[in-house]
Amino acid sequence: MARTPTTYDPFNAVAEPKRRQVLEALGEKELSVNELVELLGWNQPSVSKHLGVLKQVGLVEERRVGRQRMYRVNAERLKPIFDWVAPFEKYWTERFERLDTLLEKMKKEK
Amino acid sequence: MARTPTTYDPFNAVAEPKRRQVLEALGEKELSVNELVELLGWNQPSVSKHLGVLKQVGLVEERRVGRQRMYRVNAERLKPIFDWVAPFEKYWTERFERLDTLLEKMKKEK
DNA sequence: TTGACACATTCCTATACAGGAATATAATAT
DNA sequence: ATATTATATTCCTGTATAGGAATGTGTCAA
C-alpha cells in the first residue's frame, strides 16, 4: 500500500504546506476563490484543488453566492490535531509544569 | 511533483497514523525496538522503518545500549505543529481564554 | 444568445511512499 | 569461531499524490 490518502483525515490534509497556508489565509474571514488566488499568488486551479481536498476532509465549508464560492474554515476538524499534540507541550515549556504545580497545590489545600 | 516527503517536516511524518502511535507509545519512557514491537504488535522491520522516519525528521532520538537501541521522543520537534494549530483552538472552546487570563494575572501579581 | 466571468474538473507525469519478504549488520554469549 | 539476539536495510509493488495545461460548467450581463 501507498501512503494514507490526503483526504483520509485532517492530519494528512494539513501535512501539505500549501493547505496550511490556505487555512491561515482564511483565518476568521470567509473568502472567495479569486480572493484567495490573489492573496496567495497561485494559479486558480491549484487553489481550487487544494480547497477540494480541504472540503472533502471537512476542514473548510463552502457557500455559493452568485458565481462566487465563499470558503470558510471549519476549525473543529482541527481539534483532533490539537488534542493529539497538546499532551506533548509540557516537554518544551514550563508554563504547564507551573500550572500543574499550581493545580496540585490547590488540590492538596482543598 | 509528488507529495511532500514524509521526512520533510514533522507535519508529514506525523500524518501517518502508525507513527503517531509510536510517539504515543514512547510517551515519557524510553523503549527499545523490541519493546515497541511487543507493545504495538507489529513486525520488527515495520517498527524500525517508522522509527527511521521519525529519527530523520528529529522526532525521536536514539541511544545505543549493547545490542539494543533505546528510543525516546524529542517533543520539541512537535512544537511547530502545536504552534500552528493552537490559534484555531479558540473556535471550539473557551478554556484557553480562561487560562490566558489566569497566566496574565499571575504575571502581574509577581 | 452571446460573451465574459468565477470556478471546478480532467488528463498527464514524475515522485514517494508503506507494507511484505528477505537479507544484512552489529553485539553478545558459548 | 559460531550461534544467537537485536535491529537495520534492501528489493519489490500498488497506490496516491501535486503541479501544469487544457477544458468543462454554471452564472450573470448586454
Side-chain angles (χ1 to χ4, degrees):
Chain A
M1 273 162 223
R3 262 171 100 170
T4 310
T6 57
T7 51
Y8 182 72
D9 68 7
F11 284 92
N12 281 279
V14 156
E16 172 62 28
K18 292 200 169 185
R19 279 192 289 268
R20 291 201 299 279
Q21 278 188 258
V22 171
L23 293 176
E24 290 165 25
L26 286 175
E28 311 199 28
K29 36 181 183 291
E30 213 179 33
L31 292 176
S32 72
V33 177
N34 266 350
E35 286 171 322
L36 279 170
V37 167
E38 209 174 322
L39 204 62
L40 297 167
W42 312 337
N43 57 62
Q44 176 265 313
S46 176
V47 173
S48 282
K49 278 191 275 190
H50 283 303
L51 284 171
V53 172
L54 291 172
K55 188 186 165 195
Q56 263 198 68
V57 81
L59 279 166
V60 301
E61 279 162 2
E62 175 202 316
R63 187 170 64 96
R64 297 176 191 218
V65 178
R67 43 187 160 183
Q68 298 190 120
R69 305 212 184 177
M70 307 301 294
Y71 284 91
R72 62 181 174 286
V73 176
N74 180 20
E76 289 182 12
R77 287 289 283 157
L78 290 172
K79 190 176 184 314
I81 300 179
F82 181 85
D83 288 343
W84 183 81
V85 80
F88 292 97
E89 201 234 2
K90 60 183 170 190
Y91 296 114
W92 67 74
T93 180
E94 304 154 330
R95 284 178 72 194
F96 271 71
E97 290 176 29
R98 279 195 269 124
L99 181 61
D100 282 343
T101 311
L102 179 64
L103 291 177
E104 281 306 312
K105 222 189 275 177
M106 288 169 68
K107 223 182 208 170
K108 281 172 185 163
E109 285 174 8
K110 189 183 159 286
Chain B
M1 273 166 221
R3 259 172 102 169
T4 311
T6 57
T7 52
Y8 181 72
D9 68 6
F11 284 93
N12 281 280
V14 157
E16 172 63 27
K18 293 200 168 184
R19 279 193 288 268
R20 291 201 299 278
Q21 278 188 257
V22 171
L23 293 176
E24 290 166 25
L26 286 175
E28 311 200 29
K29 38 179 182 293
E30 212 180 33
L31 290 175
S32 72
V33 177
N34 265 349
E35 286 172 322
L36 280 168
V37 166
E38 210 175 319
L39 204 64
L40 298 167
W42 312 337
N43 57 62
Q44 176 265 312
S46 176
V47 172
S48 282
K49 278 189 277 189
H50 283 304
L51 284 171
V53 173
L54 291 172
K55 187 185 164 195
Q56 263 197 69
V57 81
L59 281 166
V60 301
E61 280 162 1
E62 176 202 315
R63 186 170 65 95
R64 296 176 191 220
V65 179
R67 44 186 159 185
Q68 297 190 119
R69 305 211 184 177
M70 307 301 294
Y71 285 91
R72 63 181 175 285
V73 176
N74 180 19
E76 290 182 12
R77 288 289 283 159
L78 290 170
K79 191 175 185 313
I81 300 179
F82 181 85
D83 288 343
W84 183 81
V85 79
F88 293 97
E89 201 235 1
K90 59 183 170 191
Y91 296 114
W92 67 76
T93 179
E94 305 152 330
R95 282 179 70 198
F96 259 65
E97 292 176 29
R98 279 192 271 124
L99 179 61
D100 282 343
T101 310
L102 177 64
L103 291 176
E104 280 307 312
K105 221 190 276 178
M106 288 168 69
K107 223 181 207 169
K108 281 172 186 162
E109 283 174 11
K110 189 184 159 287

